[in-house]
Amino acid sequence: MAHDDPADAEDTVEDTKGTEHTDDTETTRTTEEATERPAARQPTWSRVVILGAAALAALLIGATIGMAIGPDRSGDAPSEAPQASPVDIGFAQDMALHHLQAVTMADWAREHSDDPEIVQLAFDMASVQLEQVGRMKGWLMLWGQPEEPVGELMTWMSGLGGHNHGTGGDVPEASGGALMPGMASNEELAKLRSLSGEEFDVYFLQLMLRHHEGGVDMAQYAYDFASLQPVRTLAKSMLMSQGAEMDLMRDMLAERGAEPLPFP
């Protein structure tokens, strides 16, 4: 019977151990590399945020361009750009001007009222209406129209021949010298700035409620007769949001034992 050489046995054991050690090392390295490689391909949270912001910006730019050039329904040639009508243009000009006085009053109330409820209401109004002013002025730029109304106010509301509501003063006005419905005169704005405490809060609510009431006819007319869908959509949004704010201001006046100002 042949006997195994002890040296050969030892070599075999060493080879086995070496192989096992090598396999373990390779397995560990392979596992580590497999773990590291996917992690390197994963985007960081900042990349996700940047990509999302870029996509949103692209959508907004596309929407603006789409409004400027109009939809292409032919399939092979761009369609004619939608035309802004006198109602679209007049509404954007006059309502932007109307809004800016509301923003002025709201900013003053936000800085000078001691009532948190008034401060919050004023902040909300200023934020929303300033954004809407920016939107309307952006449309006017796309349409190649002046941002400020020229001539008598509100003549775009056919059959009304412009409006001569208001009490005069140096507040923003067209060359005709008339204020738009609901707008406060310089004297009324000066009185608002002179008040404080609950007197200030009540007078602010009264002026702003009347101001909102004055914009209803313009928004309704634009919703009914504007040519462009974005203009009608904005007008409808104004009717809904300001309608809710008018109800809130009437309630706030009642809680303070006050009545709304007369509206012509």
Side-chain angles (χ1 to χ4, degrees):
M1 179 181 301
H3 295 280
D4 294 333
D5 189 337
D8 293 340
E10 290 177 0
D11 290 342
T12 301
V13 171
E14 289 296 324
D15 291 341
T16 303
K17 291 180 178 179
T19 302
E20 292 174 352
H21 178 72
T22 301
D23 291 345
D24 291 341
T25 302
E26 292 298 329
T27 301
T28 302
R29 185 180 298 113
T30 301
T31 302
E32 290 174 350
E33 291 176 354
T35 302
E36 292 172 357
R37 281 197 297 268
R41 292 194 298 266
Q42 293 296 324
T44 62
W45 67 270
S46 59
R47 290 178 184 171
V48 174
V49 171
I50 292 171
L51 291 174
L56 178 58
L59 287 174
L60 292 174
I61 293 171
T64 301
I65 294 174
M67 182 177 177
I69 66 175
D72 178 11
R73 297 184 179 89
S74 64
D76 31 54
S79 61
E80 189 174 321
Q83 297 298 311
S85 70
V87 173
D88 298 300
I89 296 167
F91 171 74
Q93 290 173 333
D94 286 356
M95 187 60 84
L97 188 63
H98 200 269
H99 268 22
L100 284 173
Q101 189 186 73
V103 172
T104 299
M105 291 193 295
D107 282 343
W108 186 266
R110 185 168 56 88
E111 295 295 331
H112 293 85
S113 177
D114 298 322
D115 188 328
E117 190 177 16
I118 296 291
V119 171
Q120 184 62 56
L121 176 64
F123 175 81
D124 293 342
M125 288 178 175
S127 299
V128 171
Q129 296 203 28
L130 193 59
E131 184 276 331
Q132 292 175 344
V133 168
R135 199 183 314 181
M136 290 183 284
K137 287 183 179 292
W139 290 341
L140 291 166
M141 180 182 67
L142 288 174
W143 301 333
Q145 297 294 329
E147 293 184 8
E148 300 291 336
V150 178
E152 192 174 2
L153 296 165
M154 299 176 67
T155 55
W156 51 276
M157 297 174 69
S158 62
L160 299 180
H163 279 248
N164 293 309
H165 298 282
T167 55
D170 298 326
V171 294
E173 59 187 34
S175 59
L179 297 173
M180 283 180 281
M183 290 183 72
S185 68
N186 271 358
E187 290 77 12
E188 290 171 326
L189 293 176
K191 178 181 176 180
L192 178 68
R193 289 190 289 265
S194 72
L195 299 175
S196 61
E198 188 169 354
E199 283 186 320
F200 173 86
D201 296 334
V202 167
Y203 198 53
F204 166 73
L205 290 171
Q206 289 173 328
L207 289 181
M208 189 62 82
L209 174 58
R210 190 185 67 185
H211 195 280
H212 273 28
E213 291 171 338
V216 169
D217 285 346
M218 284 196 290
Q220 186 65 57
Y221 195 91
Y223 176 66
D224 292 336
F225 299 107
S227 298
L228 300 177
Q229 183 59 49
V231 177
R232 295 194 298 272
T233 298
L234 179 60
K236 181 179 181 180
S237 174
M238 290 177 184
L239 290 169
M240 294 177 64
S241 63
Q242 294 195 19
E245 288 174 349
M246 286 189 286
D247 290 340
L248 175 60
M249 286 188 284
R250 291 186 186 101
D251 290 342
M252 292 172 71
L253 283 170
E255 291 170 0
R256 291 160 176 79
E259 296 288 335
L261 293 175
F263 181 73

